[in-house]
Amino acid sequence: MVQEHQQRLAKAQATIQEASKNVKNTPFRLGYHIMAPANWINDPNGVIQWNGEYHVFFQHHPYSAKGGPIHWGHVKSKDLVYWEHLPIALAPGEEYDKSGCFSGSAVDNNGKLTLIYTGHVTLNEETDEFIEYQCIAESIDGVHFEKHSSNPVIAEPPSEGSPHFRDPKVWKQEDKWYMVIGSQKDNLGRVVLYESNDLISWEYQGVLAESTGKLGYMFECPDFIELDGKHILLFSPQGVEPEGDHYQNLYQNGCLIGEFDYNSKKFSHGEFLELDKGFDFYAGQSFLDDKGRRIVIGWMDMWESHMPEQEHGWAGALTIPRELKFNENGNLSMVPIEELLKIRNEYIYVPETTISEKIILKQIQGECLEIIAEFSLKECSAEKFGIRVRCSQDGREKTSVIYDVKEDKICVDRNYSGKGEGGIRTSVVPGNHESIKLHLFIDRSSLELFVNNGETVMTSRIYPDPLSTSVELFSEGGAAKLIKLESWTLKDIWL
């Protein structure tokens, strides 16, 4: 069994290395985000700091840019910025995972880097019948993994559950291991809880959280954490109906915040909150690093969306790492990690100015940029104002970040962003504020927006022409006041 797994890994690795030669220098290949060397990538898995290095695994199909039997790809870094591709960690093929090694997590178990994942087995493709198991694999060197002889460590879902039983997230509390798993019952999403002394024998502890109908039919990729004395369940519900500006994507990613009692195993919580209000953020997973930060990385795409990069032999990417924290207002926020300062290059400063219609910032050009622009609301007569990035010279191509003064809403408009899908995403800006601060990370095919220090975050894939590199400020229906703007070109870490 071990030898057969190693043979499958070697075949997959050889295939991906050959395929990677064809994707280099293609138009939408990102400059500073985690991607597979080629072909398909989706959910981040097993994010962890282990032996002083950061490891990120991801759902990966090395044989096609359109998905297939899922493997685990693998990168590592010393600083969360410069990443190194490592050999593929897991390949499907055992009786318990022959159709795919689905999402999961990673822990340090007595010095061994241990992966906990879902083995997916398709029973009937025509009727979509399947079964899902929870499995583990171990590594001494953090590179080469062996599936455990005790697999599957959880061989069936709870009796009141369904075959949808996946995406284990494991952590240790005092001397016991705990696992949350995404599941459903009666077509309603839920997260179930397990407990173990050794990662091998698991006891079912009941339902941690569940949908009453509003939160859809399936909870994927759960992650249960403690942050500043509060417990947070991160997860991705499927089947949530749109409601105003909320839940506009096919699937969502968000959290429940509350209190958890390890004795009673009861989690009391408030309403569901979306983590990212943009187009492309799913399956966010977090880890705690040695600086005490709770860091989150998500899949920077969305199921069933158009991915123009597939024409070039690859698909999908992960977001920049973000620190999850409660801000001074007590609101949950996400902010870019400070290590991203390392990739800043040329610096441009734009001083205070009044925007009466449009200002083209001729001094700022590029496919990979970081921009921080702050606008005053005290000296503003405009109905709307904002910033447009990745603009073409003829003005036909642009991605717009718009603040609606009257509605107090931020909007990302990608209807003119290039080859990808169009659409608009809108979110209320929470709290009382006298200014609007827009922090943008722009890559060759992505935009990540952090508003007012991460109280609102919006992530979007965009596919502009490589020559569309201009930036402009604008206002509508009056004048807007720019307090200041700072911009940096960003290094390409993959060159």
Side-chain angles (χ1 to χ4, degrees), residues 227 275 294 296 322-328 330-335 450-457:
L227 183 65
L275 268 186
R294 178 60 63 173
V296 176
R322 302 136 177 224
E323 184 179 356
L324 190 68
K325 60 170 65 175
F326 288 103
N327 63 18
E328 62 274 9
N331 297 324
L332 193 63
S333 62
M334 287 195 295
V335 295
F450 302 83
V451 183
N452 286 2
N453 301 315
E455 281 201 292
T456 300
V457 183

Side-chain angles (χ1 to χ4, degrees), residues 31-32 82 342-345 368 489-493:
Y32 54 90
Y82 290 92
K342 291 183 178 183
I343 61 171
R344 286 178 173 176
N345 241 336
C368 301
T489 57
L490 299 180
K491 299 174 185 175
D492 189 331
I493 69 165

Side-chain angles (χ1 to χ4, degrees), residues 124-376:
N124 188 320
E125 289 189 6
E126 292 184 0
T127 60
D128 196 28
E129 290 181 75
F130 61 86
I131 189 167
E132 293 180 327
Y133 306 98
Q134 312 315 316
C135 314
I136 65 174
E138 298 176 322
S139 174
I140 296 174
D141 63 4
V143 178
H144 304 94
F145 291 83
E146 291 188 8
K147 297 175 183 178
H148 202 280
S149 59
S150 298
N151 282 343
V153 295
I154 303 180
E156 58 184 9
S159 58
E160 73 271 24
S162 83
H164 290 274
F165 181 58
R166 55 185 173 268
D167 312 335
K169 179 62 186 285
V170 173
W171 74 99
K172 198 169 192 178
Q173 177 71 15
E174 296 180 349
D175 60 346
K176 290 190 180 294
W177 294 102
Y178 293 89
M179 177 194 295
V180 285
I181 303 174
S183 185
Q184 66 172 204
K185 179 189 177 184
D186 299 331
N187 216 34
L188 294 174
R190 55 170 37 182
V191 170
V192 294
L193 178 68
Y194 284 77
E195 183 181 278
S196 174
N197 292 318
D198 58 6
L199 291 178
I200 305 299
S201 299
W202 291 90
E203 293 185 3
Y204 179 56
Q205 301 295 310
V207 177
L208 187 72
E210 59 188 332
S211 172
T212 58
K214 182 179 177 180
L215 288 181
Y217 57 79
M218 177 64 191
F219 290 178
E220 287 200 321
C221 303
D223 183 1
F224 197 52
I225 64 174
E226 186 175 353
L227 183 65
D228 293 345
K230 297 181 180 179
H231 286 88
I232 304 174
L233 177 65
L234 307 172
F235 64 105
S236 295
Q238 298 181 329
V240 182
E241 293 296 325
E243 185 179 304
D245 295 331
H246 302 291
Y247 323 131
Q248 290 296 315
N249 290 329
L250 176 62
Y251 302 132
Q252 318 307 320
N253 190 261
C255 66
L256 301 171
I257 303 174
E259 297 179 355
F260 178 69
D261 187 322
Y262 275 95
N263 293 319
S264 66
K265 307 297 190 294
K266 299 299 182 184
F267 177 45
S268 57
H269 57 80
E271 294 295 312
F272 178 75
L273 301 173
E274 287 181 276
L275 268 186
D276 190 301
K277 298 297 292 289
F279 295 87
D280 296 292
F281 185 90
Y282 191 73
Q285 190 173 122
S286 79
F287 69 98
L288 193 66
D289 79 347
D290 58 13
K291 297 179 181 179
R293 299 178 297 179
R294 178 60 63 173
I295 297 173
V296 176
I297 298 174
W299 181 36
M300 196 167 61
D301 281 286
M302 183 55 61
W303 293 112
E304 298 184 29
S305 61
H306 177 50
M307 301 178 182
E309 73 266 34
Q310 288 178 321
E311 300 173 11
H312 304 144
W314 68 284
L318 304 185
T319 66
I320 58 172
R322 302 136 177 224
E323 184 179 356
L324 190 68
K325 60 170 65 175
F326 288 103
N327 63 18
E328 62 274 9
N329 299 320
N331 297 324
L332 193 63
S333 62
M334 287 195 295
V335 295
I337 57 166
E338 62 182 357
E339 286 90 339
L340 289 165
L341 297 174
K342 291 183 178 183
I343 61 171
R344 286 178 173 176
N345 241 336
E346 181 185 2
Y347 174 66
I348 300 291
Y349 178 81
V350 178
E352 180 180 298
T353 187
T354 298
I355 310 159
S356 57
E357 188 174 350
K358 181 172 76 172
I359 299 175
I360 298 174
L361 301 176
K362 296 181 179 180
Q363 66 272 48
I364 301 176
Q365 297 275 337
E367 293 183 279
C368 301
L369 298 170
E370 179 185 359
I371 298 173
I372 303 175
E374 188 170 2
F375 301 84
S376 173

